[in-house]
Amino acid sequence: MNVLTDNFSTYGDGFLGTVELTVYSSVLALVLGFVMASFRVAPVGSFRVFGTAWVTVLRNTPLTLLFFAVLLGLPRFGLVLPFQVFAILALGCYTSAFICEALRSGINTVPRGQGEAARSLGMTFGQTLALVVLPQAFRSVIPPVGSTLIALAKNSAIAGAFSVTELLGTYRTLSELGYNIVWTFVWIAVGYLIITLAISALFNVLERKWGIAR
């Protein structure tokens, strides 16, 4: 227990760093995932190609490689930002590909006739998607989106290797101070468990309120 009590501020900084990475990356992933899912079902061919390319490339690229590309590659093109921002970009873009596919699968569950009925009433593609299709699709994709964001929280551990303050990175500091490595990782695991259980609880509430009964 003294590993935690003696280093509570260190654990606290790492925990808050992981929470910030998770929250900001989740927002970015949800926004980009929505945009790319819209592109993938759009009537414009160039949008569909772009959305498909986005998902194909990011889903088949190792996340660590994407971190290297963003954190080390973008500064070479003159884009210099704090490492935490680069980490959020890498995590958010990577996860957006999985969010996109979850949303697209939900969109495909909505009967085609509803979209055709909306268009027959004079609604544009954007109106049909936002007002008719997505509200119904959202109800069926709550569980997979929640699982994806839980995976994002755990994937944020990679950011510690790139000088970003996060929970897993605290083990290096505590190891240098001579603390038992086993208990160091036990309390790190507890921190991740708190974060993932909080996300799971949030999506359980959403599913009970809006999810489709099965």
Side-chain angles (χ1 to χ4, degrees):
M1 191 70 180
N2 66 309
V3 176
L4 177 64
T5 56
D6 293 348
N7 301 280
F8 193 78
S9 62
T10 301
Y11 273 114
D13 290 342
F15 181 83
L16 291 177
T18 294
V19 170
E20 288 182 358
L21 283 174
T22 301
V23 171
Y24 294 140
S25 300
S26 295
V27 172
L28 179 60
L30 289 169
V31 171
L32 287 177
F34 166 76
V35 172
M36 293 304 154
S38 301
F39 279 9
R40 294 212 64 185
V41 298
V44 181
S46 58
F47 283 0
R48 292 198 302 272
V49 170
F50 183 84
T52 301
W54 179 276
V55 170
T56 301
V57 170
L58 290 177
R59 287 184 72 188
N60 293 285
T61 299
L63 182 55
T64 304
L65 179 60
L66 186 60
F67 264 87
F68 275 111
V70 172
L71 275 79
L72 302 180
L74 291 182
R76 294 178 178 272
F77 295 95
L79 184 59
V80 179
L81 296 169
F83 271 17
Q84 185 184 36
V85 176
F86 282 134
I88 290 169
L89 288 174
L91 281 168
C93 290
Y94 177 79
T95 308
S96 71
F98 297 90
I99 296 290
C100 168
E101 288 302 274
L103 289 175
R104 189 170 71 93
S105 68
I107 290 171
N108 289 335
T109 65
V110 179
R112 187 182 297 272
Q114 296 200 24
E116 294 173 350
R119 287 192 294 273
S120 70
L121 294 174
M123 298 177 69
T124 65
F125 170 76
Q127 291 173 327
T128 302
L129 192 64
L131 301 177
V132 178
V133 177
L134 282 179
Q136 297 180 72
F138 170 75
R139 299 177 62 199
S140 65
V141 302
I142 293 174
V145 168
S147 298
T148 301
L149 296 185
I150 288 173
L152 183 155
K154 293 183 286 187
N155 287 338
S156 66
I158 297 176
F162 297 89
S163 303
V164 178
T165 301
E166 52 79 42
L167 188 56
L168 183 61
T170 59
Y171 88 89
R172 288 190 295 269
T173 301
L174 300 182
S175 178
E176 291 171 359
L177 294 175
Y179 285 95
N180 186 302
I181 193 67
V182 174
W183 283 105
T184 297
F185 278 111
V186 166
W187 290 114
I188 289 173
V190 169
Y192 279 108
L193 185 63
I194 292 171
I195 293 171
T196 55
L197 286 178
I199 298 172
S200 179
L202 172 62
F203 277 85
N204 283 338
V205 171
L206 293 176
E207 187 174 10
R208 284 197 300 270
K209 186 171 183 179
W210 289 305
I212 296 176
R214 300 183 185 279

